[in-house]
Amino acid sequence: MSSSDEPKTAAGEAAGRDAPAPPVSRSLSAARMRDNVARVVWIVCMSLALVLAVAAFTYALEANEDNGLVKLVRDLADVFDLSFFDLDNPVKAFEGKNAGVKTALFNYGLASVVYLVIGRALERVIRP
């Protein structure tokens, strides 16, 4: 009887399945780390863009400035507006009716787009 004709035992089959998996290579773990970092960078940039968009929306809706949540969002937007899209010294200042709303929508909207573009570009550079 040849070895291929011998009946397979349950122990023999289990031994083949329980063989240890090959170790994870360094390049694979580095790729996973870069993927995670890229994901975090994208989420942070997207969150900052969202804060700016919500702040612009509070101006458009003429939200109650005494509300704590509205204050928080506007204060965060003032911090994360890159000092280039600041409402005190805006990129573009509108005049006339609803000038403040238009200025906030334009400048915070533009800052949101900048964060999204920067975030996507950094994600593409970081991700393997």
Side-chain angles (χ1 to χ4, degrees), residues 32-112:
R32 284 184 183 158
M33 179 63 82
R34 287 177 58 189
D35 186 52
N36 289 336
V37 169
R39 214 172 274 161
V40 168
V41 166
W42 173 241
I43 289 171
V44 167
C45 288
M46 196 170 52
S47 299
L48 295 175
L50 182 64
V51 166
L52 288 164
V54 169
F57 198 55
T58 64
Y59 283 100
L61 292 177
E62 297 175 359
N64 181 7
E65 294 179 13
D66 295 330
N67 186 316
L69 186 58
V70 173
K71 269 186 191 177
L72 175 68
V73 169
R74 288 184 179 181
D75 289 343
L76 286 173
D78 193 40
V79 170
F80 297 119
D81 63 7
L82 302 172
S83 297
F84 187 71
F85 301 101
D86 191 20
L87 297 183
D88 296 330
N89 187 19
V91 172
K92 175 152 178 70
F94 290 88
E95 296 177 10
K97 187 176 180 183
N98 295 326
V101 172
K102 291 176 187 176
T103 301
L105 286 173
F106 181 83
N107 288 286
Y108 282 167
L110 195 57
S112 294

